[in-house]
């Protein structure tokens, strides 16, 4: 599993205490970053020494010179020190940054042997297929490789191929003496888009959920995991786009009577707004199939694979961008109403569904003042 190799190599070096003076973690996959941090805490930073051994800095708030001075200074209280340094993009801002990079190089040429610096470049996203990396991220990565890569070891924390994620789930379940059905593992990855942090978190919940049964089935995944909520949301937007008021209200009721109920209203509204915005992009770019969809929606704004065909079909039910922008405005008004502490959040959401399933009124020319909720 290629995506796991660099992380596992780093973990092995930590376990063997074969460390370089400085590393750069490049990529926004939080699962791998957490795995590396946990290894450091386990093997390098005793629990009772963390106040003296472990430091977190952000270059947006702390000057690089201060970080390097702290790293050079041996601790009287701790045998080893670890410095996590976020905000790497601040080393490559406007103007000349050669002085900052030279300071890091100078430290690495004569480092404190009882300390390690870990720069976190999580502003770069590395897709599972590196050939698809966006131009901006490619340029940022190359800049880090050509400068910091000369004296720091780069650890790539990229996204994971779906097949590798499915394989990892099976191997992890074996370590917990739990069997997971193949279709359940695939559904878990499919629902969460190979986001390994979410996959691992939801897998832990599933293992606790099945308990003594020691087996995770497809039904367990559909019951417990985010996919069930996502499918319900797309069923709701399907009913709304079809102007099926009765089915839309039934779907809203089903969503609100599960999970956190009315208390999750803001979260449901956020997902609804995101879906309508995705539909607007689909309509604007005349998306007709999944291949065009992945090109039109950018990283972090994409839909789960299982919903791709559905959302294209739903978007094409709208005849104009005006209809979708009207829907987004209605959602925005509802958000304002929900944050105004209404007597019933359910009634507010039901009114939204009624408005969204109603036929849009002809646009009135001229100026008019809209009434805001009190």
């Amino acid at each position: 599993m290629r995506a796991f190799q660099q992380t596992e190599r780093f973990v092995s070096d930590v376990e063997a205490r074969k460390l370089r003076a400085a590393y750069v973690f490049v990529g926004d996959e939080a699962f791998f970053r957490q795995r590396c941090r946990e290894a450091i805490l386990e093997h390098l930073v005793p629990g009772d020494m963390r106040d003296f051994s472990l430091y977190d800095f952000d270059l947006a708030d702390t000057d690089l010179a201060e970080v390097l001075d702290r790293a050079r200074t041996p601790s009287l209280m701790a045998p080893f020190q670890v410095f996590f340094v976020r905000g790497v993009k601040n080393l490559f801002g406007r103007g000349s940054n050669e002085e900052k990079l030279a300071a890091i190089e100078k430290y690495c040429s004569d480092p404190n042997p009882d300390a390690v610096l870990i720069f976190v470049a999580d502003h770069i996203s590395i897709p599972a297929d590196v050939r698809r990396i966006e131009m901006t991220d490619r340029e940022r990565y190359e800049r880090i490789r050509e400068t910091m890569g000369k004296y720091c070891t780069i650890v790539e924390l990229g996204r994971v191929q779906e097949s590798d994620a499915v394989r990892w789930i099976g191997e992890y379940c074996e370590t917990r003496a739990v069997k997971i059905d193949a279709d359940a593992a695939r559904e878990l990855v499919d629902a969460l888009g190979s986001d390994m942090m979410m996959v691992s978190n939801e897998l832990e919940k599933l293992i606790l959920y099945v308990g003594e049964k020691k087996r995770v089935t497809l039904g367990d995944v559909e019951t417990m995991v985010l996919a069930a909520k996502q499918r319900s949301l797309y069923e709701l937007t399907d009913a709304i786009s079809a102007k099926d008021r009765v089915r839309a209200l039934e779907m809203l009721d089903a969503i609100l009577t599960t999970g956190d109920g009315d208390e999750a209203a803001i979260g449901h509204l956020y997902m609804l707004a995101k879906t309508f915005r995705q539909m607007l992009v689909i309509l604007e770019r005349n998306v007709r199939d999944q291949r065009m969809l992945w090109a039109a929606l950018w990283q972090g704004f994409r839909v789960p694979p299982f919903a791709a065909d559905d959302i294209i079909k739903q978007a094409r039910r709208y005849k104009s961008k005006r209809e979708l922008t009207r829907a987004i405005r209605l959602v925005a008004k509802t958000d304002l109403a929900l944050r105004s502490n209404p007597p019933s959040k359910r009634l507010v959401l039901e009114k939204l569904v009624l408005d969204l399933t109603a036929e849009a009124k002809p646009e009135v020319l001229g100026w008019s003042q809209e009434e805001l909720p009190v």
Side-chain angles (χ1 to χ4, degrees):
M1 295 188 286
R2 189 192 66 82
F4 292 78
Q5 288 175 357
Q6 294 200 31
T7 299
E8 294 309 316
R9 189 180 304 121
F10 175 81
V11 170
S12 296
D13 288 346
V14 169
E15 292 173 352
R17 298 183 73 92
K18 296 179 180 178
L19 294 172
R20 301 286 297 274
Y23 294 83
V24 186
F25 288 176
V26 181
D28 61 351
E29 180 51 82
F31 171 79
F32 291 131
R33 190 163 63 250
Q34 179 174 293
R35 176 78 181 93
C36 293
R37 188 180 180 96
E38 287 174 350
I40 288 170
L41 294 180
E42 180 180 355
H43 299 285
L44 301 179
V45 184
D48 58 345
M49 299 296 292
R50 288 181 185 170
D51 288 343
F52 309 104
S53 301
L54 184 66
Y55 301 93
D56 287 278
F57 292 104
D58 192 323
L59 294 178
D61 306 315
T62 307
D63 190 71
L64 175 65
E66 180 182 342
V67 175
L68 296 177
D69 283 343
R70 295 283 293 272
R72 286 191 188 95
T73 306
S75 172
L76 297 175
M77 303 295 295
F80 196 84
Q81 298 179 92
V82 180
F83 298 85
F84 282 96
V85 186
R86 302 179 70 94
V88 169
K89 63 182 178 182
N90 290 279
L91 296 175
F92 301 93
R94 293 180 178 178
S96 175
N97 301 287
E98 293 180 3
E99 186 177 340
K100 296 177 183 178
L101 295 170
I104 299 173
E105 183 177 11
K106 183 179 179 181
Y107 171 82
C108 291
S109 66
D110 184 23
N112 177 0
D114 295 320
V116 62
L117 278 169
I118 298 175
F119 294 95
V120 181
D122 54 359
H123 62 295
I124 296 173
S125 181
I126 304 174
D129 183 353
V130 293
R131 294 172 299 181
R132 293 178 171 269
I133 189 170
E134 295 189 3
M135 185 60 68
T136 302
D137 287 327
R138 185 189 300 278
E139 291 172 353
R140 289 170 173 170
Y141 194 175
E142 287 302 320
R143 198 176 302 129
I144 289 174
R145 194 196 302 275
E146 292 169 1
T147 54
M148 300 179 76
K150 294 178 180 178
Y151 37 85
C152 300
T153 299
I154 292 179
V155 180
E156 191 175 295
L157 310 181
R159 299 288 177 171
V160 177
Q161 296 278 3
E162 291 187 5
S163 58
D164 286 346
V166 170
R167 181 178 167 187
W168 177 85
I169 290 170
E171 293 177 354
Y172 181 77
C173 285
E174 286 182 8
T175 67
R176 300 289 298 272
V178 173
K179 178 177 174 54
I180 184 166
D181 294 348
D183 55 355
R186 282 193 297 271
E187 174 68 11
L188 183 59
V189 173
D190 185 41
L192 302 176
S194 299
D195 184 320
M196 286 302 299
M197 180 59 80
M198 292 183 67
V199 167
S200 62
N201 289 341
E202 295 298 328
L203 185 58
E204 289 293 344
K205 295 177 188 176
L206 281 165
I207 291 172
L208 291 174
Y209 175 71
V210 299
E212 295 301 318
K213 186 174 71 169
K214 296 291 184 180
R215 180 181 178 183
V216 179
T217 66
L218 178 59
D220 296 325
V221 174
E222 291 178 339
T223 299
M224 287 293 295
V225 183
L226 183 62
K229 298 177 184 178
Q230 287 182 316
R231 290 186 191 279
S232 298
L233 173 74
Y234 289 113
E235 289 174 14
L236 172 61
T237 55
D238 182 68
I240 290 172
S241 64
K243 297 294 189 286
D244 188 339
R245 180 171 289 180
V246 173
R247 182 160 67 93
L249 288 171
E250 288 175 349
M251 287 307 309
L252 178 65
D253 179 67
I255 291 172
L256 294 179
T257 52
T258 58
D260 297 324
D262 291 9
E263 295 306 311
I266 295 291
H268 297 318
L269 201 63
Y270 167 78
M271 292 301 295
L272 200 59
K274 182 178 179 180
T275 304
F276 279 118
R277 287 171 57 219
Q278 289 166 334
M279 288 188 196
L280 184 59
V281 173
I282 289 168
L283 201 64
E284 286 177 335
R285 303 195 182 183
N286 197 27
V287 172
R288 295 181 177 274
D289 55 40
Q290 287 198 30
R291 182 183 60 81
M292 294 178 68
L293 180 66
W294 304 136
L297 300 181
W298 50 93
Q299 185 78 25
F301 192 59
R302 291 176 179 152
V303 301
F306 71 80
D309 290 331
D310 287 342
I311 197 169
I312 293 172
K313 179 184 69 175
Q314 293 171 28
R316 296 186 69 81
R317 286 176 179 158
Y318 291 92
K319 303 305 179 185
S320 68
K321 292 188 291 184
R322 189 174 70 84
E323 288 185 75
L324 280 168
T325 53
R326 168 183 173 270
I328 294 170
R329 285 198 299 269
L330 287 171
V331 173
K333 287 184 180 180
T334 303
D335 179 69
L336 179 61
L338 285 176
R339 295 177 189 277
S340 301
N341 197 25
S344 171
K345 293 179 180 178
R346 176 182 286 265
L347 287 177
V348 172
L349 291 174
E350 287 178 348
K351 183 180 184 303
L352 172 64
V353 169
L354 292 175
D355 290 340
L356 290 172
T357 52
E359 291 296 334
K361 296 179 181 178
E363 190 171 4
V364 178
L365 297 177
W367 181 88
S368 64
Q369 181 175 356
E370 296 186 46
E371 182 181 352
L372 294 176
V374 178

